[in-house]
Amino acid sequence: MTINIENEKKGAMTTTNVESSRRNFIFGSVAAAGLTVAPGMMLYQTANARSQSEKATSKVRWGMLVDTTKDVDWNKCVDACNNEHGLGNEHKSRDDQKTQYIRVVDVKNKGTGYSISLPVMCQHCEKPPCVDVCPTGASMKRPDGIVLVDRHRCIGCRYCMMACPYKARSFVHEVLSDQKENTPRGKGCVESCNMCVNRIDNGQEPACVEASDGAIIFGDLNNPESPISKILAKHGGKQIRADLKLNPGVHYQGI
Amino acid sequence: MWLHLNFNFGFNSSFVSKSLKKLPLTVAGLAFIAGINTVNANQDGLGPKITIPESSGESCILPSAEMRRQHPDLLKHDRIQTLREGVRAKADGGKLDGSLKQCVNCHAIKDASSKFVRIDNDQHFCVSCHKYAAVSIDCFQCHRDIPEGDGEFHALTNHKGINYSNIVPGTSSLTIKDMANIAPEVISDDN
Ligand code: SF4
Ligand code: SF4
């Protein structure tokens, strides 16, 4: 059941956190049914489960579905992300230089006063421009759709930051210490949300999904039987800037 | 480190003289790593002391001598297969996963106050040898240098701190001569 409420939202859009126009950002909305999921519950079973000794394959395409109509404090997800990856250990950088994997973007219709808030992380594009431009092969996409930076190869040129239309990437400006065991990160490398690849390979959901009280669903977009695919098939979802045809793995409802 | 200083000839003359004095030791250090058993035993008491923590007797995925030579190759497992391909298999079929995280967890060293020593401390397991051999390690610019937890899920060390009595009874530091005696353990250079 897709209800287009575009008419209700006509008028000038303003954004806080991001400066570019979000006219294209909001292009309709989807009424989402109440799909409550217990926190931490595993919502993804894959028909193509692989053992830890197998390579990631393109049989699986990991994705997320964010329901912005749920009354969730997205900062809980940001905190869970920061905690999982040990972000926030920069002490000398300016605030706008510090790494963030998830930005909370607030969008408001000046005409109606209608506003929404949504978490924007790396959208794990199927055709990622960040990978296209990387001169070293550091910016890479795993066969299962996860886009990440191989810091062993990153030279910090920041081309990928310029290429990413979602402003998803950050550059580490200072020497770091006290990183998390599972998320090595350091000065001179670009980084972004890696969909908690360490957790996924371990059979867990990404940290933001776990912290979202069911407002973010994670799963295999290639498997029509997975909960995320079923919900997308039944209720639909939107990709941010779908017009760019990058086919992001992150879908939204309520935008 | 001294190799680096040796390149500074034009800039700092005191470095030059220091470097020149240490040069034979640098060569000795490299000789140790390369498995050439020609460490000059007459230089007792000079130069850096290598710090080797006491072993609990358990062995790693390969015998020690092979680990000394091959650990960089082994780490490529995680650098390529794990990161880029998603393979997270355990290297020994169960306990050890062959990752740098695993190295750190097994080989973490505690100081006198029972805290893990960090990468800026000469007693750090990786630093102790690398400093001796003047081979810089970049791994820990990004990787965590100490365990997050207790780090004892496969204790190769007893976490009691540095103690060399397993190598030279009753001593707390090793000399070049001691090193010469243990150097033959290192298998010869295969490159
Ligand atoms: S959102 Fe940006 S960083 Fe993520 S895959 Fe797309 S282009 Fe790359
Ligand atoms: S900053 Fe790193 S990941 Fe980004 S394009 Fe340059 S080398 Fe590639």
Side-chain angles (χ1 to χ4, degrees), chain A residues 45-50 59-60 220 223-226:
Chain A
Q45 277 86 38
T46 163
N48 299 306
R50 71 185 162 98
K59 285 182 201 151
V60 176
D220 178 9
N223 174 12
E225 295 307 312
S226 68

Side-chain angles (χ1 to χ4, degrees), chain B residues 116-135:
Chain B
F116 288 122
V117 297
R118 306 215 75 137
I119 196 70
D120 54 2
N121 188 313
D122 285 358
Q123 294 186 346
H124 187 281
F125 183 81
C126 306
V127 176
S128 59
C129 239
H130 273 262
K131 191 161 185 190
Y132 183 86
V135 179

Side-chain angles (χ1 to χ4, degrees), chain A residues 22-40:
Chain A
R22 288 291 165 216
R23 273 172 208 279
N24 294 328
F25 194 111
I26 305 294
F27 40 74
S29 179
V30 176
L35 292 152
T36 315
V37 180

Side-chain angles (χ1 to χ4, degrees), chain A residues 121-125 128-131 147 163-166 168-169 192 246:
Chain A
M121 62 289 278
C122 168
Q123 303 288 296
H124 299 279
C125 309
C130 58
V131 175
V147 177
C164 171
Y166 301 99
R169 294 206 156 176
S192 56
L246 304 175

